Amino acid sequence: MAALFLFDAYEGHVPRAPLVALIPIFGVIAAVFYRVGRPPADAAVVDGLPGFWNAQPGESPYLAPRYTIPAALAVALVGALTLGYPSFEWVAVASLVVLLPSAVRRPGLLLFVVVSAAYLPRLGGYGLWDPWETHYGEVSREILARKDWISLWWAQEYWFWSKPILIFWMEATSMASLGVNFLPDANPENAEWALRLPHYLLSMGAVMSVFALVRRTFSVRAGFLAGLALATIPHFFFLAHQAITDMPFVSTMTIAMCLLALALVTDRDATVTSYRVGRFAFSAQHVVLAALIAVVLPQAIYLLSRNVTLTEGFRFAFHPDAFLYGSAGNGSDVPGNPAPREHEAAVGGWAFQPITQGFVWLLGLAVLVWMYRRERRTRALLLLGFYLFCGLAFMAKGIPGFALPGLVALFHLVATRKWKMLGDGELRVARGMLTVAVVGMPWYVAMYMRHGRRFTDRLLIHDHINRLTAGVHGDKGTVQYFLEQLGYGMFPWIALVPVGVAIALVWRRRSDTRVAERETLTLFTLWFFAAFTLFSAMVTKFHHYIFPAEPPAAILAAIALDRLLGAWATGWRGKLGVVLAAGFGVALPFALGAFVGNLRGVIPEAVEAANRADWARQHAESAGVAGALVVVALALLVGAAWLLRTRRADGEKAADPAVHTPAFAVAILMGASVLAFVGRDLAWRTDARPAGYERLIHLFVYNYQRAWPEQFDYRAALTGFACAATLVLVLFAVPRLRAIFGPAFLGVAFAFTFWTVNIYLVDLSPHWGQRELIKEYYELRKGPSEPLLAYQMNWKGENFYTGNHAFVFVKLDTKQLKDWITDHPGQHAYALLEHSRVGSFRGHVRGGEVKEVTTKRDNNKFVLLSVTLPGREKDEQIQSN
């Protein structure tokens, strides 16, 4: 801890500081485990990780994860270091290929590889979307530049108080670890990878937690389907690729709910198993305590160091808490920024200084470690994990982070009549409250001590209570508002959500349903309805606010699909048949879309504006391409049908006869009709906005009125997905066809995910961001003497991509801009602004020269101008006139 303290107190910047800080943190964890974490002598210890780490029967030992996982990590590390981030797409693919042989025999690893194949390769290959990815990225950059992990700073609005801290700590840690240059005017390369990588990791943590829970309570196949369903709903995969606050909140809450569900279905006296790897043995106790220490210890030690400064000469200076007001390296000489100065805390006195706070949280951590030093009961450790992730969710989104999981847990006790668990202390509520406080409260307390009531009034009153009761920005609407967004946000799984809810309600009442299944179904159903009701009751509404209700809905839909599938044929024929059926689902949307129009959906630049409306539909794929796609799809379908013909005739009955009734067939067909309408809305374009293909980006953007780039028309591809999903689901209603069309439905969902993440999202990013324009500026300018002016811009990218070194003239009162032009006669500069403001900007530089460097095809929102300001004589003549 002393080494970590000295590290935090040091006044300079340490390269890749978070990686260096891991060394003392791991040292503390190792010391704690040595003292209190060793398993008792009579504890069961298993060598290795049976069924996962070592080779399985009939498997080459070199294809086991003990070899392939280190090899995949080595490929990623060596590839990133030697080829650089521009080639990391292929490095990621190569790493996943190395894992694939092990994944074939391990469903959990296979799920990770399949989802990562869609998510990872292009994660950082396109620009950040304005305004929120760049907004939060700039706040995170300032953390590093200011070396202040408490008080947040945002460009022209100064203190940033509207969002909790977790996203900023994650992104700042990732940028520092990956070596992103955070200094002003640095033109950082590949910052997108650093900002989005933590969100990808959290999303995968949620997917794998769902897999583990559903596998434990239902079956391996159900767990795989549940994880895949969550990963392939649009709201989830979009927000896994958007560095904004929603994924940190929902992913940590999802992990917390999975841990709670596991705790509820675990016997109170069951103990954890220890696993020996080499000379070391570890259990769930080690994992949870390590996570707790890794989260709390850095917060406490950082607070301890805020009253001490370690200078270059290894001298200590003790002082009251003081921190920078302003943007590091950007003073008043950069228009839009105040002059930096030292700022003092609002609440004085040593009793409230950070060093005192640090000792309090360190004491709380010590108490928790002492309480769990000998804990071997599985339920108690799972509940500790639940409270830990509730604390993280609290850090991610504020009060809903622990209030929503707590509300669902309370409803579960009411629905299952398990008040005894609460009365007997089995839920360990007191310890849980301490855990949530120690994990999630340090930053809130430190911020209040520094900034007083202005901070709490903004975050708690304005951004919590007012959003709920009065409305802050955004839309307003009835319950219909989010019902509509559920359709788009869960395509194509929305068709099975009503069936999933119905099965959950029916199965929990059946006498032959296992207790674990009943408990899990009840929890998921309550989670879905509680979240949907809560966010529907909010006055402020944005499309993505319904996201917290969608994970349980996706899980229920996947469990329904698992129930409806019946038994699959076993052996290599059955597995290959399932793969071919899924391949048919992947090929079918493109085969159908090829007859509708141009699958790529990019209108050539030479096409005149008057002819663009129907160009994509008038230029369908050639007969050869369309025919080839149909042949491929039919070949996969025939192959799947032939391989699955050996499926047992009584397979459906052996699985569950209750779902193979006309009632459930009708329910599936009704779901297919819902899916058809949702697909129509996504694929059609009418005179009224939004067009169908716009509805997808509206799932994660805030400004729904921004113009659509004229060169993109995705109706053909989206029509193919809508028709394929509906057709497959209609055929799935026939019990004897479910073995084929169940996997085909998964194939359609995966294809939609892959297409949307790797084509649709990448195509549109230049028009919802500024990376390409600012990159062009840095390539064209001769040096810092040619600044970038941001004229009446508040889209955030101009701040992040320049390290807040853009000369920002955001006010409608243009006096500051006029004064700057007068003071810099004849200077050459560049300007970034919206296309609609080019005319008014030209008016401010009359007598100078203004050239448009980029076009609307490059970016339909913003334009980069090359500007030569008028000379002194011209300027005086203009002023006299």
Side-chain angles (χ1 to χ4, degrees), residues 54 95 97 168 189 217 347 351 355 399 449 525 676 686 702 777 792 814 855:
N54 297 320
S95 299
V97 169
F168 308 112
E189 291 289 333
T217 53
V347 181
I355 192 169
I399 294 173
M449 296 303 175
T525 306
T686 62
Y702 286 71
Y777 156 70
Q792 294 188 351
T814 57
T855 67

Side-chain angles (χ1 to χ4, degrees), residues 215-541:
R215 174 180 180 169
R216 162 73 172 77
T217 53
F218 290 89
S219 66
V220 173
R221 185 180 72 178
F224 184 89
L225 294 178
L228 189 63
L230 179 61
T232 54
I233 61 172
H235 248 149
F236 193 88
F237 62 66
F238 274 132
L239 292 171
H241 288 74
Q242 288 289 301
I244 58 180
T245 57
D246 299 88
M247 183 54 73
F249 166 44
V250 174
S251 60
T252 51
M253 185 182 69
T254 299
I255 297 171
M257 297 304 296
C258 290
L259 291 170
L260 175 63
L262 282 170
L264 293 174
V265 301
T266 300
D267 185 84
R268 64 180 298 176
D269 296 321
T271 57
V272 295
T273 301
S274 294
Y275 301 93
R276 188 182 304 281
V277 178
R279 297 175 55 189
F280 303 98
F282 69 95
S283 67
Q285 180 198 29
H286 296 80
V287 174
V288 177
L289 285 179
L292 181 66
I293 295 170
V295 170
V296 178
L297 184 65
Q299 299 186 66
I301 299 299
Y302 181 78
L303 289 168
L304 288 174
S305 70
R306 291 308 82 204
N307 295 110
V308 181
T309 298
L310 176 61
T311 63
E312 293 286 350
F314 206 78
R315 295 181 179 180
F316 292 94
F318 297 88
H319 50 78
D321 186 28
F323 46 98
L324 176 66
Y325 175 92
S327 174
N330 294 306
S332 55
D333 57 321
V334 179
N337 289 277
R341 66 177 187 269
E342 192 174 83
H343 202 76
E344 295 182 355
V347 181
W350 281 98
F352 306 102
Q353 287 292 304
I355 192 169
T356 306
Q357 301 169 40
F359 277 119
V360 170
W361 302 122
L362 202 59
L363 177 62
L365 174 62
V367 170
L368 284 171
V369 171
W370 182 83
M371 286 179 174
Y372 287 91
R373 71 194 187 284
R374 296 287 184 262
E375 185 61 73
R376 303 282 301 170
R377 287 171 293 180
T378 305
R379 174 182 286 181
L381 294 169
L382 288 170
L383 286 172
L384 175 59
F386 165 69
Y387 292 120
L388 168 63
F389 277 94
C390 284
L392 289 173
F394 180 34
M395 293 169 62
K397 201 69 171 179
I399 294 173
F402 65 84
L404 183 56
L407 189 65
V408 174
L410 179 63
F411 287 163
H412 185 273
L413 294 179
V414 174
T416 57
R417 301 177 183 178
K418 287 192 172 182
W419 294 107
K420 187 179 180 181
M421 291 184 66
L422 190 60
D424 291 348
E426 292 185 49
L427 294 182
R428 298 173 176 257
V429 176
R431 292 188 182 187
M433 293 172 64
L434 177 61
T435 304
V436 172
V438 170
V439 169
M441 283 292 291
W443 176 77
Y444 290 96
V445 174
M447 281 291 289
Y448 181 80
M449 296 303 175
R450 277 191 171 186
H451 300 284
R453 285 190 57 184
R454 290 188 302 159
F455 161 66
T456 52
D457 286 348
R458 173 58 199 256
L459 181 63
L460 299 180
I461 304 300
H462 182 273
D463 288 304
H464 277 70
I465 297 175
N466 287 350
R467 284 178 186 265
L468 176 65
T469 61
V472 177
H473 313 300
D475 294 341
K476 295 178 175 62
T478 64
V479 68
Q480 178 184 348
Y481 185 94
F482 285 135
L483 286 174
E484 182 178 341
Q485 300 313 315
L486 275 178
Y488 311 136
M490 297 195 66
F491 178 87
W493 290 95
I494 187 62
L496 293 177
V497 171
V499 183
V501 173
I503 286 179
L505 295 175
V506 170
W507 253 258
R508 65 177 299 271
R509 295 179 178 275
R510 287 176 48 173
S511 59
D512 60 339
T513 302
R514 295 187 301 115
V515 173
E517 294 178 353
R518 184 181 297 112
E519 296 279 343
T520 304
L521 290 172
T522 301
L523 188 70
F524 287 161
T525 306
L526 291 171
W527 177 7
F528 170 66
F529 283 111
F532 184 86
T533 303
L534 174 64
F535 291 100
S536 294
M538 288 184 65
V539 176
T540 302
K541 288 181 171 64

Side-chain angles (χ1 to χ4, degrees), residues 693-762:
Y693 40 67
E694 288 184 85
R695 298 181 190 274
L696 288 174
I697 60 167
H698 286 180
L699 292 174
F700 61 90
V701 298
Y702 286 71
N703 187 335
Y704 307 130
Q705 303 305 317
R706 288 182 63 173
W708 178 265
E710 293 182 355
Q711 67 263 37
F712 297 121
D713 186 343
Y714 298 113
R715 284 179 291 175
L718 288 169
T719 299
F721 284 115
C723 293
T726 304
L727 176 62
V728 165
L729 202 60
V730 167
L731 295 173
F732 180 73
V734 181
R736 288 189 173 276
L737 299 180
R738 290 179 186 172
I740 297 174
F741 291 101
F745 183 82
L746 299 178
V748 174
F750 179 80
F752 182 66
T753 302
F754 191 91
W755 175 83
T756 309
V757 166
N758 294 285
I759 295 177
Y760 176 89
L761 195 60
V762 177

